[in-house]
Amino acid sequence: MLSESLHQELIDLRQRVAEQALMLTQMGQQLLHFQQAELPLEASHQKLSVPLQQSSIAIIEWSAALEVVDWNLTAERLLGYSKQDAIGRHVTDLLSLEQSHRLIATARNQAPGDRTLHQTVTPDGKLAVYTWHNAPLMNGQQQVTGVLSLVHVNVDSPATAVLTEAHDTTQHSIAPLSSDFLNAIINTTTDPLFVKDQQHRYILLNDVFCQFMGWHRPNVLGLTDHEVFPDSEQADFFRDTDQIVLTTECDREDEESLTNLHGQTHLFSTKKSCLRDATGNKFMVGTMRDITALKAAEAALKQSKEELEMRVEARTVELQQTVVQLQQQVHERQAALHKRDQAESKLQYIRKFLESVLRTLPVAVIAKEAKDLRYVLWNPAAEAVLGATAKEVMGKNAYDLLPLEQAEALMAYDRQVLQTRDILDLPEELVPADGGETRILHTKKTAVFDEDGNPQYLLAITEDITERKQAEAALQQNEAQLRALAQREELLNRVANQIRSSLDLDTILQTTVHEVRNLLQIDRCSFCWFHAEADQLANLEFTHESRGADFPSFLGTYPQDLSKPADRHNPIIESLLSQTPYRVDDVETDPRLKPEARDILRFYHYHSELLLPVQILSGRRGGIHCGHHSAIRPWSESEIELLQAVASQLAIAINQAELYHQSVIAANTAQQQTQQLEEALQELQEAQAQMVQSEKMSSLGLLVAGVAHEINNPVNFIYGNLTYANEYIQDLLQLINLYQEQYPTPTKQIQTVATAIDLQFVMTDLPKLLASMKVGADRIQQIVASLRTFSRMDEAEFKAVNIHEGIDSTLMILQSRLKAQQMRLKGCEYARPAIEVVKAYGNLPLVECYAGQLNQVFMNVLSNAIDALDERDSRRDAAMMEQNPSVIRIRTEVCDSDRVLIAIADNGPGIPEAVRQKLFDPFFTTKPVGKGTGMGLSISYQIITERHGGSLQCQSSTGEGTEFLIEIPLKQVPQ
């Protein structure tokens, strides 16, 4: 057991090493795949980084905590902070309080994105106008992960300079500038500028605005927007927004689209302000900033960002799926999916772990590269098992280390594994070791494949199983001893089981001698009886034996004359008479043997003999006799003890068998008497049931005949008067018609009564009413005739009749069950179509029979057919019943010129063979309690076979319907 456990542990450890090696290969392939997949993403990132860094717009990316994540070159140039100084700083360290609050609102997803205009002083002391565009950054779960800011800066804006200068003039009372100088300043600005009065007329246009629009200033001054713009809706928008600024005197910023005379459309950021002159007149001053390029850059940046996010998201999903597959085995690999350095660290850790495992494994692990089969792995266990160090074999192949013949054989094995891709198992290899000892090795070889499925390495795992084989040999020896003991116990158990399972003495004795011989592996085992006779005469009878095929049988009776010394000193007889065991290990040397006994054993060619008496309560003497002819066979004490136990069990079996034999004799006598009583009771019950059934049918016949007679009299009276009633009514109707022709205008009273009784309807319906009554009377007459025909109470019991009339009368009585109706069977209601009856009557002469009894047979057979069809239809739906309707076929014909055949068949579910065998047994029924007595077909069988000398057969199989064949002679011998 210890060696098996150790062997199983070594197998499990070898499997784990193979799994670790396979997992290491797979992880390396996955890492290479991830690194290759990251290259396109890195290239896309670099392509997008170049335009973002060189953009004329300051681009700033903030984290969810509003700390700088990215800061491009334009942001460094315009906002005065280098990327190194800005990265990681909070928004409040870099921007004004107002702008910081706007970014915080955007980061909290309180603002979907905004555009603001701020004036501030740059770090070099210049006044600048900042245009900020802020937008939140969302992940796949619509959570804010940061904010993206686009900043457009215009340093020394002319409009800002004019406003600043005007402010300074007001504050310090500097002398006013000339109008020419102000116009020159306005015309030098790079942004369009215009001024309108309260009537929305252009009073000032700078050169930039006129150049873009393609206007000639003198032609436009004094005109309104409706006069210069062809689009009236756009002119209305300009007028409305201008009026809001003039009315509220509040600044307004809009993004407006303008198309010049050249057909060019640009997008402008327009700011409109209301100013008053010295006399208080209002003027609307507008400055415009061309943001077409800015919007295009924003759109391009948004598209690039969306494409990047889609690719990153798709790649992220793929990486997540891969991580889920790997995280169960190597949880640390998650870091390696993101950073190459961490992956290399993990890989190095796993390599060290596997190297440690390989160093500590008690089995030899060897790997060769697939091309030249040179050794690339040779663990310490391989050094111990194979007697060569790793330094001696690494980088070499078999040709460098072994003789040519051994190298060729080894290389052939290795190439076979690489070509077939199967695992090669060499369960036992004998390898000479130091000191002349031979070691037994168990080797398995398999190929290790690269990611393309090509063999890359040959892996061999070799285990020294010498000690295990030695332990298995010792264990087998112990198992043989234990098996022998177990077999002895099994023999004893089998004999005991035989006692419980069989009371046949021959079976018990034969089983005992057979099992004893097989267990002891002897030439012969037999059972013998000693029968004492009068005058010292006796018989020694061998009744059962088990022997080898090469030895003769000793079965038989051997007379013994106890007055003679040779018979009297027969050791078998002495043992049986004294009830003591008899044992001879060696006939030639056993000192206890008498000369007469030794001569007898020599005569039968025995070398060893053993007999164990069996004590029987009845006083009979018997014993188990064992003999060996081919060689001396010493008998061990354990074998004798086992045979004594077998003899004890055998004695119990013999005693029980004798008791059983006596009880069987008594039981057979009682059974014969019981069977006679049962047969008499069965006959009495059948006779009683037949009498009851006959009495019931007789009473039913009397009742049917009486009812038919009582119904027939009034029906005849009605039927006979219907003809006269019809003639009288026709006369009255003719008279009424004549009155209507002669007196077309009756009195008012007659008209009132005719209308009240609906005279025309009565005249039309009355003949139909009489015709309906005649049909009903005809039907009643047919039913009465069928009842009288079925009962046959007004005719002699035995006479020649028309068989077809009896069948038709039976069908008439069963008509209510044949027509379509709502049925209820086993608690279920269903609509059953009418059962079709197909008649194929032959040309039959009158048949001598007991007509009433024969009608009873027709009734029983047809009723059973209807019951079978109803039971089958209760399990079918309307479609199935329409596809395969229920049909009863009745066929009659003359056969053998002196017999008539009536066949009644249905297409019902059929009758199983087991049920068909019992169909005509009394009291046998398959119907529920209360629906059948089990006597119908039994009585029908007796009526046909006993009363008519005919035959009643049933032909049926499950699913193919049932047919009853009734055959009776044309002429009967009255009974």
Side-chain angles (χ1 to χ4, degrees):
M1 298 299 293
L2 180 61
S3 61
E4 292 181 358
S5 175
L6 179 59
H7 178 62
Q8 185 61 39
E9 290 180 1
L10 292 176
I11 292 176
D12 294 342
L13 183 58
R14 189 159 58 242
Q15 291 177 349
R16 289 197 297 271
V17 170
E19 291 173 357
Q20 289 289 345
L22 180 60
M23 182 181 66
L24 178 60
T25 303
Q26 292 176 346
M27 288 190 298
Q29 294 173 354
Q30 288 287 345
L31 178 59
L32 179 61
H33 176 68
F34 295 150
Q35 291 172 354
Q36 292 175 350
E38 287 172 358
L39 294 177
L41 292 177
E42 183 65 25
S44 298
H45 178 69
Q46 292 177 359
K47 291 178 181 179
L48 291 174
S49 298
V50 172
L52 293 178
Q53 292 296 330
Q54 297 179 359
S55 174
S56 61
I57 302 173
I59 302 175
I60 305 172
E61 183 181 355
W62 309 86
S63 66
L66 292 179
E67 295 177 348
V68 176
V69 177
D70 197 6
W71 187 275
N72 72 344
L73 298 176
T74 305
E76 290 183 355
R77 185 173 65 255
L78 299 181
L79 298 181
Y81 297 97
S82 65
K83 184 175 183 179
Q84 182 176 2
D85 294 336
I87 294 297
R89 296 184 64 177
H90 194 265
V91 63
T92 54
D93 297 337
L94 303 173
L95 303 179
S96 64
L97 184 60
E98 179 183 357
Q99 184 62 13
S100 299
H101 289 167
R102 287 183 176 272
L103 282 173
I104 292 173
T106 302
R108 293 177 179 174
N109 206 17
Q110 296 175 353
D114 59 7
R115 175 178 178 273
T116 59
L117 190 65
H118 290 277
Q119 296 180 6
T120 186
V121 179
T122 60
D124 57 1
K126 295 182 180 180
L127 182 65
V129 178
Y130 290 75
T131 302
W132 287 76
H133 299 266
N134 301 319
L137 301 177
M138 304 287 189
N139 59 10
Q141 289 74 32
Q142 296 300 313
Q143 298 174 344
V144 177
T145 59
V147 178
L148 181 66
S149 297
L150 303 179
V151 185
H152 185 275
V153 182
N154 191 1
V155 182
D156 293 335
S157 172
T160 304
V162 171
L163 294 175
T164 303
E165 185 176 349
H167 181 267
D168 293 341
T169 303
T170 305
Q171 295 292 329
H172 302 289
S173 301
I174 300 175
L177 301 175
S178 65
S179 59
D180 294 337
F181 181 70
L182 290 176
N183 286 332
I185 294 175
I186 292 172
N187 288 327
T188 57
T189 61
T190 59
D191 292 332
L193 185 145
F194 60 90
V195 180
K196 298 179 183 179
D197 59 11
Q198 289 182 290
Q199 286 73 36
H200 305 287
R201 296 174 298 191
Y202 287 99
I203 63 172
L204 179 63
L205 296 169
N206 71 344
D207 294 341
V208 176
F209 194 13
C210 292
Q211 291 172 1
F212 170 75
M213 295 300 297
W215 291 344
H216 184 54
R217 186 183 292 108
N219 295 335
V220 178
L221 292 177
L223 300 179
T224 65
D225 290 323
H226 286 85
E227 296 172 331
V228 296
F229 290 103
D231 189 350
S232 60
E233 293 183 0
Q234 189 176 32
D236 290 340
F237 174 76
F238 293 156
R239 182 194 60 196
D240 293 341
T241 55
D242 294 347
Q243 188 61 42
I244 292 173
V245 174
L246 293 171
T247 302
T248 60
E249 298 188 21
C250 295
D251 294 349
R252 179 183 177 91
E253 295 185 8
D254 294 293
E255 289 185 359
E256 300 173 351
S257 176
L258 291 180
T259 303
N260 58 21
L261 296 180
H262 307 296
Q264 299 175 346
T265 301
H266 283 212
L267 187 63
F268 291 89
S269 175
T270 304
K271 181 176 181 182
K272 298 178 180 180
S273 304
C274 181
L275 301 178
R276 291 178 182 268
D277 61 4
T279 60
N281 294 322
K282 294 182 180 180
F283 296 92
M284 199 280 294
V285 179
T287 59
M288 304 171 65
R289 175 67 54 82
D290 190 345
I291 60 172
T292 304
L294 178 63
K295 287 297 182 180
E298 288 179 354
L301 182 62
K302 181 179 180 181
Q303 182 179 0
S304 299
K305 179 176 176 296
E306 290 176 352
E307 292 177 356
L308 179 60
E309 288 178 349
M310 290 176 61
R311 296 184 64 182
V312 170
E313 183 177 358
R315 186 58 185 159
T316 301
V317 170
E318 181 181 354
L319 293 177
Q320 287 175 348
Q321 293 175 350
T322 306
V323 168
V324 168
Q325 296 174 359
L326 295 177
Q327 64 184 1
Q328 295 180 355
Q329 297 180 351
V330 187
H331 183 68
E332 296 83 0
R333 293 294 301 163
Q334 292 179 350
L337 299 177
H338 300 286
K339 294 183 180 180
R340 182 182 303 176
D341 294 340
Q342 294 180 0
E344 292 178 353
S345 176
K346 291 294 182 181
L347 185 60
Q348 187 64 27
Y349 168 78
I350 294 174
R351 287 176 179 173
K352 291 182 179 179
F353 170 74
L354 291 178
E355 289 176 357
S356 175
V357 171
L358 292 174
R359 286 195 301 269
T360 57
L361 274 178
V363 296
V365 180
I366 303 168
K368 305 177 184 180
E369 50 87 15
K371 184 178 180 182
D372 297 326
L373 294 175
R374 297 187 180 277
Y375 292 97
V376 295
L377 177 62
W378 188 276
N379 73 336
E383 296 180 350
V385 172
L386 300 174
T389 64
K391 184 177 182 181
E392 294 171 350
V393 300
M394 292 296 285
K396 299 179 181 179
N397 59 19
Y399 293 114
D400 301 326
L401 301 172
L402 299 175
L404 179 60
E405 184 178 354
Q406 296 182 10
E408 288 288 351
L410 181 59
M411 296 289 275
Y413 277 133
D414 294 346
R415 292 192 182 95
Q416 177 185 353
V417 173
L418 295 175
Q419 291 175 359
T420 62
R421 299 172 177 243
D422 295 332
I423 297 177
L424 178 63
D425 190 358
L426 303 175
E428 292 186 12
E429 286 184 293
L430 301 179
V431 178
D434 297 339
E437 184 183 5
T438 300
R439 309 298 293 178
I440 304 174
L441 304 182
H442 179 200
T443 301
K444 282 189 176 183
K445 295 184 178 183
T446 184
V448 179
F449 304 96
D450 59 15
E451 61 182 4
D452 296 328
N454 299 319
Q456 189 173 11
Y457 297 102
L458 177 71
L459 180 65
I461 298 178
T462 300
E463 178 185 3
D464 189 344
I465 59 173
T466 304
E467 287 76 11
R468 188 180 73 192
K469 287 296 181 180
Q470 294 172 352
E472 287 178 356
L475 182 61
Q476 289 176 355
Q477 183 178 1
N478 293 333
E479 286 179 351
Q481 298 175 356
L482 293 175
R483 191 178 298 109
L485 294 176
Q487 288 176 348
R488 295 175 184 177
E489 292 295 330
E490 183 181 0
L491 171 63
L492 184 60
N493 291 334
R494 275 200 298 270
V495 174
N497 291 334
Q498 188 68 37
I499 294 172
R500 291 190 292 269
S501 62
S502 175
L503 293 174
D504 181 60
L505 184 59
D506 289 335
T507 301
I508 296 172
L509 293 177
Q510 189 61 45
T511 301
T512 302
V513 297
H514 178 73
E515 295 293 341
V516 170
R517 176 176 173 270
N518 287 340
L519 175 65
L520 300 183
Q521 295 295 307
I522 57 179
D523 295 335
R524 184 186 304 275
C525 179
S526 58
F527 189 86
C528 61
W529 294 99
F530 176 76
H531 305 290
E533 305 290 342
D535 299 332
Q536 293 191 351
L537 296 178
N539 290 322
L540 190 61
E541 182 182 11
F542 288 84
T543 58
H544 300 83
E545 74 174 354
S546 176
R547 57 185 173 82
D550 298 334
F551 304 100
S553 173
F554 289 165
L555 293 179
T557 302
Y558 299 87
Q560 303 290 319
D561 187 355
L562 300 183
S563 61
K564 297 179 180 180
D567 294 342
R568 184 172 62 251
H569 297 304
N570 187 331
I572 296 178
I573 295 176
E574 289 181 344
S575 175
L576 292 176
L577 291 176
S578 63
Q579 291 292 301
T580 57
Y582 154 65
R583 166 185 174 184
V584 176
D585 291 338
D586 186 353
V587 171
E588 300 299 333
T589 61
D590 195 317
R592 294 171 296 177
L593 277 179
K594 297 178 181 180
E596 297 86 351
R598 184 175 281 108
D599 292 339
I600 293 174
L601 294 178
R602 287 174 179 171
F603 177 79
Y604 289 106
H605 303 288
Y606 279 116
H607 289 285
S608 301
E609 189 179 37
L610 176 67
L611 186 133
L612 283 91
V614 178
Q615 298 182 359
I616 304 171
L617 294 178
S618 63
R620 300 176 65 189
R621 300 179 184 273
I624 300 173
H625 175 261
C626 300
H628 203 63
H629 302 279
S630 55
I632 297 173
R633 172 62 163 80
W635 311 101
S636 66
E637 295 298 330
S638 61
E639 291 174 340
I640 295 177
E641 292 177 359
L642 175 62
L643 291 180
Q644 287 177 338
V646 171
S648 300
Q649 296 292 334
L650 186 59
I652 296 173
I654 294 173
N655 293 331
Q656 289 183 348
E658 291 179 348
L659 292 175
Y660 174 71
H661 179 68
Q662 297 173 3
S663 65
V664 166
I665 295 175
N668 289 336
T669 304
Q671 186 176 5
Q672 292 176 358
Q673 297 174 353
T674 302
Q675 186 175 359
Q676 294 174 357
L677 293 175
E678 288 179 351
E679 291 176 354
L681 179 61
Q682 181 73 15
E683 293 175 357
L684 181 61
Q685 288 177 342
E686 292 179 6
Q688 182 181 7
Q690 291 176 10
M691 291 177 62
V692 172
Q693 189 71 12
S694 298
E695 185 66 25
K696 288 171 61 178
M697 293 303 297
S698 177
S699 300
L700 179 61
L702 290 172
L703 176 62
V704 169
V707 170
H709 180 73
E710 293 299 327
I711 293 175
N712 191 45
N713 289 335
V715 167
N716 288 336
F717 175 76
I718 295 172
Y719 188 81
N721 289 330
L722 281 176
T723 303
Y724 300 106
N726 186 43
E727 293 176 356
Y728 298 157
I729 289 173
Q730 291 296 331
D731 293 341
L732 290 174
L733 292 176
Q734 186 177 359
L735 179 61
I736 292 173
N737 289 330
L738 184 60
Y739 267 103
Q740 288 177 345
E741 292 176 0
Q742 298 296 326
Y743 299 98
T745 308
T747 63
K748 184 176 182 181
Q749 185 177 1
I750 293 175
Q751 289 181 353
T752 302
V753 174
T755 303
I757 67 175
D758 196 355
L759 180 61
Q760 292 300 325
F761 174 75
V762 172
M763 293 173 65
T764 304
D765 191 57
L766 188 56
K768 298 179 181 178
L769 179 63
L770 290 174
S772 176
M773 293 172 64
K774 186 176 184 305
V775 171
D778 291 339
R779 177 64 176 162
I780 294 174
Q781 279 189 330
Q782 293 175 1
I783 293 174
V784 170
S786 297
L787 291 175
R788 293 171 62 84
T789 302
F790 179 77
S791 63
R792 298 285 185 178
M793 294 303 297
D794 57 348
E795 301 176 2
E797 185 180 16
F798 178 78
K799 64 176 296 185
V801 298
N802 187 343
I803 293 294
H804 295 159
E805 290 182 358
I807 297 174
D808 292 340
S809 65
T810 305
L811 292 173
M812 177 67 70
I813 295 173
L814 294 173
Q815 187 62 35
S816 61
R817 297 193 60 194
L818 292 171
K819 65 183 181 180
Q821 54 188 306
Q822 287 292 122
M823 300 292 292
R824 182 176 182 86
L825 185 64
K826 297 182 180 180
C828 299
E829 291 188 358
Y830 63 98
R832 192 211 67 187
I835 299 175
E836 181 183 2
V837 178
V838 179
K839 301 176 184 178
Y841 290 167
N843 187 15
L844 300 184
L846 296 180
V847 179
E848 293 183 356
C849 64
Y850 298 93
Q853 296 181 9
L854 195 60
N855 290 342
Q856 181 182 352
V857 174
F858 295 154
M859 176 68 72
N860 290 335
V861 174
L862 288 171
S863 297
N864 286 338
I866 295 173
D867 290 340
L869 293 173
D870 285 343
E871 196 277 334
R872 191 268 307 273
D873 288 343
S874 67
R875 302 191 301 270
R876 303 197 300 172
D877 55 22
M880 295 175 63
M881 287 189 281
E882 181 179 358
Q883 181 180 2
N884 184 21
S886 298
V887 179
I888 295 177
R889 302 181 185 275
I890 304 175
R891 174 172 53 89
T892 63
E893 62 183 29
V894 176
C895 56
D896 298 334
S897 72
D898 62 344
R899 301 178 73 84
V900 62
L901 173 68
I902 303 102
I904 301 175
D906 63 71
N907 63 342
I911 302 175
E913 181 62 24
V915 175
R916 194 182 68 82
Q917 296 292 339
K918 303 178 182 179
L919 206 57
F920 301 117
D921 292 349
F923 308 108
F924 176 78
T925 181
T926 59
K927 298 178 181 178
V929 177
K931 291 203 66 176
T933 63
M935 294 299 298
L937 290 178
S938 176
I939 293 175
S940 299
Y941 186 80
Q942 291 183 353
I943 290 174
I944 297 299
T945 58
E946 297 179 6
R947 298 284 287 170
H948 291 82
S951 64
L952 175 59
Q953 300 177 4
C954 175
Q955 297 179 355
S956 178
S957 58
T958 304
E960 297 183 2
T962 303
E963 184 177 27
F964 283 89
L965 302 176
I966 304 169
E967 186 176 335
I968 59 176
L970 286 173
K971 297 184 179 296
Q972 294 285 335
V973 177
Q975 297 182 5

